[in-house]
Amino acid sequence: SYSAVTRWMRQPNGAQTVLSPTLQATFAGGVYWTFTPVCTTPLGVYTLWVVDNATGRASNQVTETVTRGAGCP
């Protein structure tokens, strides 16, 4: 069955934030979403992971690096 997961993000400044909305993992355990930074998004490395709401188990962590876009001042 599908399981609800809570998404977590550690920002470049070290602050941790819960992302909303809660998502449903696929039957195989996959979770997918997109993130499109804007010019005001803080630059740096973000760490992302999910926690299964039913079991409390955390996923592997992945990192995403936000750099200044060509159209940003």
Side-chain angles (χ1 to χ4, degrees), residues 3-9 16-19 21-25 29 31 33 48-61:
S3 182
V5 296
T6 298
R7 300 178 293 157
W8 285 86
M9 174 182 69
Q16 288 188 181
T17 304
V18 172
L19 302 175
T22 297
L23 298 180
Q24 296 291 321
V31 179
W33 73 89
L48 303 153
W49 69 97
V50 300
V51 175
D52 185 297
N53 292 353
T55 66
R57 290 186 62 194
S59 70
N60 294 334
Q61 295 184 357

Side-chain angles (χ1 to χ4, degrees), residues 15-16 18 20-22 26 29-36 38-39 42 48-49 52 54 57 63 70 72:
Q16 288 188 181
V18 172
S20 61
T22 297
T26 67
V31 179
Y32 308 92
W33 73 89
T34 59
F35 170 71
T36 305
V38 296
C39 291
L48 303 153
W49 69 97
D52 185 297
R57 290 186 62 194
T63 58
C72 297

